[in-house]
Amino acid sequence: GQSLEQPSEVTAVEGAIVQINCTYQTSGFYGLSWYQQHDGGAPTFLSYNALDGLEETGRFSSFLSRSDSYGYLLLQELQMKDSASYFCAVRPPNQGGKLIFGQGTELSVKP
Amino acid sequence: EPEVTQTPSHQVTQMGQEVILRCVPISNHLYFYWYRQILGQKVEFLVSFYNNEISEKSEIFDDQFSVERPDGSNFTLKIRSTKLEDSAMYFCASSAWDIGSYNEQFFGPGTRLTVL
């Protein structure tokens, strides 16, 4: 089976950098995705790592290390609008494209 | 920008009643999904659908659940006899492909189902 663990809450101040970690136990997956969700709304895709290493998309970066069963989302130059829940997710092969989500990390950005 | 839409936004029903949740996926997408999220919990996969048949379903997706693509645009989730524990936000999602590793899924705004 698959399980993903994330911290439940993270707090940071505007302009800071924050890292949200995701550790997983899985028998295999295509890649690690990150989704953002504001106030229970639609999860929106942020980033995807198929291979080990760092992927950068503007203020957001994501990292994957398969050997360490670990990934993280890095948010730079935090803004108030970044306050949201962040979910890591994996997609197991040959299972109809389903995503398995972590429990989510609620990020609070303070002024 | 194309988006996934869902109706209704809220649905209140009595236990034992049937509900149908509706979704219009992005028009050129071929893969469709339903997920649910109980308040304060993680998003859970229910079912995936491709080429007019179920590709994968979770343990949650028992005989009370069914999905259908009745025409070229709609994708529905039916719960035949709702239970209190079906109360959740239900998200529809779609993706353009499922080839290789990359599969960005686009989620709709959700239908909040409350079973009384």
Side-chain angles (χ1 to χ4, degrees):
Chain A
Q2 291 92 1
S3 67
L4 299 96
E5 293 189 13
Q6 308 176 229
S8 57
E9 297 178 343
V10 172
T11 301
V13 297
E14 228 176 343
I17 299 171
V18 72
Q19 179 173 311
I20 298 173
N21 298 322
C22 175
T23 57
Y24 58 84
Q25 293 182 352
T26 176
S27 54
F29 62 96
Y30 278 129
L32 186 70
S33 300
W34 287 91
Y35 282 78
Q36 180 190 59
Q37 185 182 39
H38 279 103
D39 297 325
T44 55
F45 174 83
L46 287 177
S47 187
Y48 175 75
N49 292 75
L51 304 173
D52 284 7
L54 192 67
E55 292 285 339
E56 297 180 76
T57 310
R59 293 188 298 115
F60 295 171
S61 304
S62 58
F63 173 83
L64 174 63
S65 169
R66 289 180 185 263
S67 60
D68 295 322
S69 299
Y70 165 73
Y72 66 74
L73 179 70
L74 192 72
L75 298 87
Q76 301 183 68
E77 300 172 18
L78 279 175
Q79 302 174 10
M80 297 296 288
K81 68 178 182 179
D82 297 329
S83 293
S85 291
Y86 293 83
F87 294 87
C88 57
V90 296
R91 180 169 153 262
N94 305 316
Q95 292 191 37
K98 78 176 182 184
L99 288 172
I100 299 172
F101 285 85
Q103 293 284 349
T105 298
E106 187 173 348
L107 172 64
S108 298
V109 180
K110 307 291 186 188
Chain B
E1 187 171 331
E3 58 183 15
V4 177
T5 59
Q6 291 185 241
T7 54
S9 56
H10 292 87
Q11 174 91 50
V12 181
T13 190
Q14 295 291 323
M15 189 170 57
Q17 295 296 303
E18 174 182 288
V19 295
I20 298 176
L21 310 183
R22 292 183 166 80
C23 168
V24 179
I26 294 173
S27 63
N28 63 343
H29 284 185
L30 301 176
Y31 299 84
F32 314 113
Y33 313 87
W34 284 101
Y35 293 83
R36 79 172 187 190
Q37 185 178 33
I38 295 169
L39 189 64
Q41 298 187 23
K42 68 178 179 180
V43 178
E44 297 177 288
F45 170 80
L46 291 177
V47 66
S48 59
F49 190 87
Y50 169 69
N51 201 25
N52 284 317
E53 59 182 33
I54 291 173
S55 308
E56 183 77 17
K57 59 183 181 179
S58 72
E59 294 175 350
I60 303 167
F61 195 89
D62 61 21
D63 292 344
Q64 295 300 315
F65 290 84
S66 62
V67 289
E68 193 178 30
R69 187 150 163 85
D71 53 43
S73 59
N74 291 282
F75 180 50
T76 62
L77 174 69
K78 181 193 291 186
I79 309 174
R80 250 179 289 282
S81 178
T82 49
K83 303 187 282 281
L84 295 176
E85 54 265 36
D86 293 328
S87 295
M89 180 74 92
Y90 287 79
F91 291 105
C92 173
S94 69
S95 63
W97 55 73
D98 188 32
I99 299 170
S101 66
Y102 187 72
N103 176 328
E104 178 181 349
Q105 295 183 18
F106 294 81
F107 284 75
T111 293
R112 178 158 298 287
L113 176 65
T114 301
V115 182
L116 302 176

